[in-house]
Amino acid sequence: MKDSALVLNLRDSSERRYLYAVEELEKECLTTEEKIQKLDQELTSLRCELTKTLVLEKSLQEDLKKTEEQQVVERAKAENRIKNMEFLSAKSDDFRFKIRVAEEQLTASGFDKTLSHHSLVDLSEKLTMLRQEIRPLKKQLESYLDLTPNPSLAKVKIEEAKRELAAVDAELDKKVNIMELLLPQHRRGRST
């Protein structure tokens, strides 16, 4: 008992003192158990928080990795676009230079601007318009041809219609001849 009294830190070894000391130890044990339970709850809560934090960290790391991979891909695309733009810019400058040289060669070889594509298109449109103007005159002439002629009046009408038709045909032939003259010169200019 003396040893127990020493362990319990008692001054005397009476039974009453033992009971009191044991009761005090039980209270300390209960208080300690309560503290341990609270610490266990806090530890469990901290473990949950730690787990959540670790999951979030892993997710953020994966997102960061994906973002970095996307940045690498986007950077490569941007570099490719820059190279393409530089290539196209150089090609554009080259074409401008070639166009300027070709224009100078055409001017030096005596190229007539009336033979340009735009001028030829305008002449073709004028020719089409003249042909459309001739159609009603030809139809009018055909209507006279169907009439039973009064010999003298018919001759006058026919002569008038022939003169109109001849004038329009002459104008048409003139325009066609001009185009035929211009087109072979234009073709010769291209082949030299």
Side-chain angles (χ1 to χ4, degrees):
M1 253 196 162
K2 279 185 178 181
D3 291 336
S4 297
L6 285 176
V7 171
L8 293 173
N9 210 6
L10 297 177
R11 290 185 195 156
D12 62 44
S13 54
S14 69
E15 189 178 323
R16 194 169 159 200
R17 288 271 182 200
Y18 277 115
L19 289 174
Y20 179 74
V22 169
E23 190 177 308
E24 286 297 316
L25 283 175
E26 283 179 358
K27 284 181 185 178
E28 278 183 40
C29 278
L30 286 175
T31 306
T32 306
E33 283 181 16
E34 286 176 3
K35 286 180 182 179
I36 289 173
Q37 284 179 353
K38 284 183 182 178
L39 287 175
D40 279 345
Q41 288 175 352
E42 287 178 16
L43 182 62
T44 303
S45 175
L46 287 174
R47 282 183 182 154
C48 286
E49 290 297 319
L50 179 63
T51 303
K52 288 178 185 177
T53 305
L54 290 175
V55 168
L56 180 62
E57 180 185 15
K58 184 177 180 179
S59 174
L60 289 173
Q61 285 176 346
E62 289 174 1
D63 289 346
L64 179 64
K65 183 179 177 183
K66 287 178 184 178
T67 303
E68 288 172 348
E69 289 172 356
Q70 287 176 346
Q71 280 182 336
V72 168
V73 169
E74 289 300 321
R75 194 173 298 127
K77 285 180 181 179
E79 289 174 6
N80 190 22
R81 286 186 199 121
I82 289 170
K83 286 179 184 177
N84 285 341
M85 195 169 68
E86 290 171 352
F87 172 77
L88 292 174
S89 178
K91 210 54 160 157
S92 175
D93 291 342
D94 183 46
F95 284 143
R96 279 191 204 104
F97 176 75
K98 287 180 179 180
I99 289 170
R100 195 174 336 115
V101 167
E103 287 174 347
E104 290 171 0
Q105 287 176 347
L106 285 174
T107 304
S109 67
F111 175 71
D112 185 7
K113 292 198 178 203
T114 59
L115 296 177
S116 69
H117 175 73
H118 183 68
S119 297
L120 293 175
V121 168
D122 287 344
L123 285 173
S124 174
E125 289 173 359
K126 287 179 183 177
L127 178 63
T128 302
M129 287 174 35
L130 286 173
R131 285 185 176 156
Q132 288 175 354
E133 288 176 15
I134 291 174
R135 281 189 194 134
L137 294 174
K138 284 186 176 181
K139 286 183 181 179
Q140 188 179 7
L141 179 62
E142 288 174 5
S143 68
Y144 288 120
L145 294 175
D146 291 342
L147 293 175
T148 54
N150 177 346
S152 60
L153 187 57
K155 285 181 183 178
V156 171
K157 291 287 186 185
I158 290 173
E159 288 303 317
E160 285 178 13
K162 283 182 180 179
R163 278 192 299 265
E164 285 181 30
L165 183 59
V168 172
D169 273 343
E171 182 69 25
L172 178 62
D173 287 342
K174 182 179 171 184
K175 297 287 182 177
V176 170
N177 287 338
I178 289 172
M179 285 187 65
E180 287 176 353
L181 287 174
L182 295 176
L183 287 175
Q185 287 178 357
H186 180 64
R187 289 187 184 135
R188 274 187 261 135
R190 275 191 181 168
S191 62
T192 58

